[in-house]
Amino acid sequence: MFARSPLTDHLKQIVYGGNDGIVTTFAIVAGFAGANAEGTGEIAALAVLVFGLANLFADATSMGLGEFLSARAARDMTKLRHRQLRQNPSAQIDALTRHLQSHGLSTLDATTMAALAAKSPGLMAEMTLSQVEGLEDPGQGLLWPRALITFLSFVAFGVIPILPYILGLPLGIRFGSAVAATATALTLLGVLRHVATRAGLMRAVSETVLVGGVCALVAYGVGLVVAG
């Protein structure tokens, strides 16, 4: 029997938090570089640090709380589906039947599957949420660990792009070092996806780096436009 690991259980929070953290802080670095703010020397470096750290912790807090609230909302929706199933089971069965039919099942098979699922209110609520409404069932565990993991992942990965500024590296190599650090952080995040999901290593890494790279180019381009 396949055993789920804590890494797999919280992969969504780690990847979302980590990717957003990297992009958030590197956007500050790339925006200043695009605006040619490096020419102002240590003042620009201080601005990158101030804005980078402020955005890092503010957005990490927002992401963590957002994860908590979204999971709470999904749990409330699950409870609502339980009540609706008890009060009007036929409507829930009809909705699931139509959904199964839309995926190619015959009327008889779809009706049979929906009726069998309705014998277990928990299963019916989960199927209605995930299959019909496209929502994730948050399960019955504590919700605050999800918020905490999102926050910590955001901070841990998000601090990497501004490490050259925190460490006070020479001005001439600071931006290049930030680019290298960001690429490294995105690669590590892609490797983490590979380890947790057993997805192809090259695909997991390339997708993660590509998404982060596109966001970085957008930030750099905005800086160029503003400077122009």
Side-chain angles (χ1 to χ4, degrees):
M1 183 177 179
F2 176 73
R4 292 173 62 89
S5 68
L7 178 60
T8 303
D9 289 338
H10 295 290
L11 180 65
K12 172 190 170 184
Q13 289 79 32
I14 294 172
V15 172
Y16 283 3
N19 188 74
D20 283 357
I22 295 168
V23 170
T24 293
T25 50
F26 187 69
I28 301 294
V29 176
F32 272 89
N36 199 27
E38 291 286 352
T40 61
E42 294 302 323
I43 295 177
L46 179 61
V48 170
L49 266 181
V50 171
F51 283 104
L53 289 174
N55 275 335
L56 177 64
F57 285 96
D59 287 353
T61 302
S62 176
M63 283 281 294
L65 293 175
E67 175 64 28
F68 177 84
L69 293 175
S70 65
R72 174 68 65 84
R75 181 166 290 179
D76 290 341
M77 286 293 295
T78 302
K79 293 178 181 177
L80 175 62
R81 290 294 172 263
H82 277 278
R83 291 196 299 269
Q84 290 177 335
L85 184 59
R86 288 193 298 268
Q87 295 168 359
N88 189 8
S90 60
Q92 299 297 302
I93 294 174
D94 289 344
L96 183 57
T97 298
R98 289 193 300 271
H99 177 77
L100 294 172
Q101 286 178 305
S102 71
H103 281 68
L105 270 69
S106 67
T107 301
L108 177 60
D109 289 342
T111 303
T112 301
M113 288 184 64
L116 289 173
K119 293 182 178 181
S120 170
L123 176 62
M124 186 65 175
E126 181 181 339
M127 291 183 67
T128 302
L129 283 173
S130 62
Q131 300 299 318
V132 180
E133 300 181 20
L135 299 176
E136 179 185 358
D137 185 354
Q140 299 303 313
L142 295 174
L143 298 181
W144 67 263
R146 301 183 183 201
L148 180 61
I149 289 172
T150 301
F151 174 87
L152 293 177
S153 178
F154 194 105
V155 172
F157 281 96
V159 76
I160 295 176
I162 56 175
L163 276 178
Y165 294 84
I166 294 175
L167 297 175
L169 296 185
L171 190 63
I173 66 170
R174 212 169 278 174
F175 178 65
S177 299
V179 172
T182 300
T184 300
L186 289 169
T187 300
L188 289 174
L189 200 60
V191 171
L192 185 63
R193 283 183 56 197
H194 163 70
V195 171
T197 65
R198 296 296 186 266
L201 177 61
M202 290 301 298
R203 192 195 78 180
V205 171
S206 60
E207 286 179 350
T208 306
V209 173
L210 178 63
V211 170
V214 168
C215 295
L217 286 174
V218 169
Y220 189 83
V222 170
L224 285 175
V225 171
V226 172

